[in-house]
Amino acid sequence: CLATVRDKAALTDKRFSFTEVQCITCKKKEVYSIPYRSIDMWSSENTGHFDLDAELDLWTKAGHFTLKVAAKCDIREFDQILGSAILNQ
């Protein structure tokens, strides 16, 4: 499971899913479930000195998604898992 700043994300054996919080009160949420075969490209950015959150960008057949990933998560480990899942489809 990938902990993001306000959102939650998970990798399964067939898809990447995440819940995006839509507003400040956190009452409105949108859930995405994206099959790996629909992911055209992704990029990730690790944390830095001033920017404490990593970022994950996904380009899919459904559009472009950006997730801010909490600093406690290892974005490089996530890259390896996502890459393996996508390439094995």
Side-chain angles (χ1 to χ4, degrees), residues 65-83:
F65 301 95
T66 300
L67 295 164
K68 293 216 180 267
V69 180
K72 65 182 177 180
C73 293
D74 184 357
I75 193 70
R76 296 300 160 224
E77 181 182 9
F78 183 81
D79 275 339
Q80 290 176 342
I81 294 168
L82 184 61

Side-chain angles (χ1 to χ4, degrees), residues 13-14 36-37 84-89:
D13 60 338
K14 300 206 183 272
Y36 293 127
R37 68 180 179 275
S84 177
I86 290 171
L87 294 173
N88 289 324
Q89 291 298 307

Side-chain angles (χ1 to χ4, degrees), residues 25-37:
T25 62
C26 298
K27 291 184 179 181
K28 184 175 179 184
K29 296 178 183 179
E30 193 165 355
V31 177
Y32 297 92
S33 181
I34 303 167
Y36 293 127
R37 68 180 179 275

Side-chain angles (χ1 to χ4, degrees), residues 36-64:
Y36 293 127
R37 68 180 179 275
S38 294
I39 299 174
D40 296 322
M41 185 175 90
W42 85 92
S43 71
S44 63
E45 179 181 292
N46 60 328
T47 59
H49 291 288
F50 299 107
D51 186 8
L52 299 178
D53 297 320
E55 279 189 7
L56 174 69
D57 285 298
L58 293 172
W59 287 267
T60 72
K61 293 176 174 75
H64 175 246

